[in-house]
Amino acid sequence: MSLRDLTVPELLDEARSGDRRAIGRLLTLVERGGEAADQVAKLTHPDAGKAHVVGITGAPGAGKSTLTGRLAAGLAATGHRVAVVAIDPSSPLNGGAILGDRIRMDEPIHATEGADPNNVFIRSMATRGQSGGLAVAVPGAVRLFDALGFDPVIVETVGVGQIEVDITAASDTTVVVVTPGWGDAVQANKAGLLEVADIFVVNKAERPGASDARRDLELMLDLGGHPAWRPPILMTTAVDNVGIDEVSTAISTHLGHLRESGEIDTRRGVRARSEVATRLHAFLLTRVDETMATTEGEQVLADVDDGTVAPVEAAHRLSNYI
């Protein structure tokens, strides 16, 4: 029987038994949205909430994908089942993920001694124009991986602009990757790095200016006061696998801090509320479109067109039908 003929509960049974094709099919359903995606969300929710969700973000070209691949390979080599959700730019032709991140991650996973590729599942997801670079389906994909026993789940963002603060709503630990020449502390503060980063990584540390980048970050953190957790600043050359173990250790240490302080529950509560709000917004937008297409809606819009009703008044009238 084809996977397409299986129900969502049947697909989940196959996925729990280790069938990677079933996992891929479930992820496709999550991305497509609709009733099937809702069913996946409902069935996986009871088994989720255990995985450490790690967000990796930074400007384009910072080396996030190579760093993510090295991290995943190292974790797989120590027995972890690692899932990676790589947010790729959308193809201008078909709206799908371009898959550049996937290509850069595969090599270190297959090249690392002891890293079983079967213990790593990478899924590229298209942004489809989503603000902030995070795909709409990311929370559903993270929940699915979590329920299937993957831990950690890494979300690597597309790198839109200088920084993507949306990643804080999708992860427990956020790693911000910068490179030599990334800019001074003033630019960093404008980009919101202090609010976003739990760990800083200065990648491509073999290049001139790496020590200056670290100094600027240290100064920025000094100006930020003395919070309970001061983000460490780590130097890496991901392409040569230099400094990756230190990043992995820092991620683990931050998870310990979150658990000891109780902040992990706060962060996950914020994440759940953020998903509820996002889904509610989507529902309301659908209802708005449906309302405007009704006979009453078209009449109110016609009144706006002929100038007898102001847009603000029309909005108030139509809100009664939503």
Side-chain angles (χ1 to χ4, degrees):
M1 180 182 291
S2 169
L3 287 176
R4 294 179 179 274
D5 298 324
L6 298 181
T7 65
V8 169
E10 290 171 337
L11 281 170
L12 281 170
D13 287 341
E14 293 296 318
R16 289 188 177 105
S17 70
D19 189 328
R20 294 173 70 88
R21 295 184 308 123
I23 298 174
R25 177 62 180 162
L26 287 165
L27 288 166
T28 297
L29 295 177
V30 169
E31 281 196 87
R32 288 179 179 174
E35 293 183 7
D38 291 346
Q39 190 176 11
V40 174
K42 292 175 183 177
L43 292 175
T44 53
H45 178 73
D47 295 325
K50 305 178 185 69
H52 183 197
V53 183
V54 180
I56 298 183
T57 190
K64 300 184 298 298
S65 298
T66 303
L67 177 70
T68 299
R70 294 292 188 189
L71 280 171
L75 289 163
T78 56
H80 290 269
R81 292 183 71 214
V82 187
V84 178
V85 180
I87 312 301
D88 262 341
S90 298
S91 165
L93 298 179
N94 59 24
I98 295 177
L99 305 181
D101 289 345
R102 173 65 179 271
I103 294 169
R104 286 186 287 272
M105 290 179 199
D106 275 339
E107 185 275 328
I109 291 169
H110 285 86
T112 300
E113 183 178 355
D116 185 352
N118 290 322
N119 282 337
V120 181
F121 198 109
I122 303 173
R123 178 69 173 212
S124 291
M125 304 180 77
T127 59
R128 304 185 195 279
Q130 177 77 355
S131 176
L134 289 178
V136 176
V138 166
V142 169
R143 182 183 300 105
L144 174 62
F145 281 128
D146 189 350
L148 293 176
F150 288 90
D151 186 11
V153 179
I154 301 174
V155 180
E156 191 256 302
T157 69
V158 66
V160 177
Q162 274 191 304
I163 194 64
E164 299 169 74
V165 296
D166 285 5
I167 191 65
T168 58
S171 59
D172 301 317
T173 298
T174 300
V175 179
V176 173
V177 185
V178 301
T179 55
W182 64 288
D184 59 23
V186 174
Q187 290 173 315
N189 280 307
K190 287 181 179 178
L193 286 178
L194 275 178
E195 291 75 19
V196 171
D198 296 307
I199 298 167
F200 283 107
V201 171
V202 179
N203 193 32
K204 305 181 183 180
E206 80 285 0
R207 296 184 179 181
S211 59
D212 293 336
R214 179 168 190 158
R215 180 203 60 210
D216 288 342
L217 287 171
E218 292 283 7
L219 290 172
M220 183 183 70
L221 292 174
D222 289 341
L223 292 172
H226 302 281
W229 173 265
R230 180 183 172 101
I233 302 170
L234 306 171
M235 311 293 282
T236 66
T237 303
V239 69
D240 293 326
N241 202 26
V242 175
I244 304 303
D245 288 344
E246 288 78 4
V247 177
S248 185
T249 298
I251 290 172
S252 179
T253 301
H254 184 252
L255 176 60
H257 164 75
L258 292 176
R259 287 173 172 166
E260 290 174 8
S261 64
E263 189 180 348
I264 193 165
D265 294 328
T266 301
R267 292 194 177 198
R268 290 179 176 179
V270 169
R271 189 158 78 230
R273 285 163 175 75
S274 175
E275 183 181 356
V276 171
T278 298
R279 290 180 177 274
L280 185 57
H281 288 160
F283 170 77
L284 290 174
L285 285 173
T286 299
R287 292 289 295 128
V288 167
D289 291 339
E290 292 172 350
T291 299
M292 292 178 70
T294 62
T295 302
E296 294 84 354
E298 290 180 349
Q299 180 58 57
V300 171
L301 293 174
D303 293 339
V304 172
D305 290 339
D306 64 25
T308 58
V309 174
V312 63
E313 182 182 355
H316 281 299
R317 288 187 187 181
L318 293 178
S319 67
N320 294 322
Y321 297 98
I322 296 176

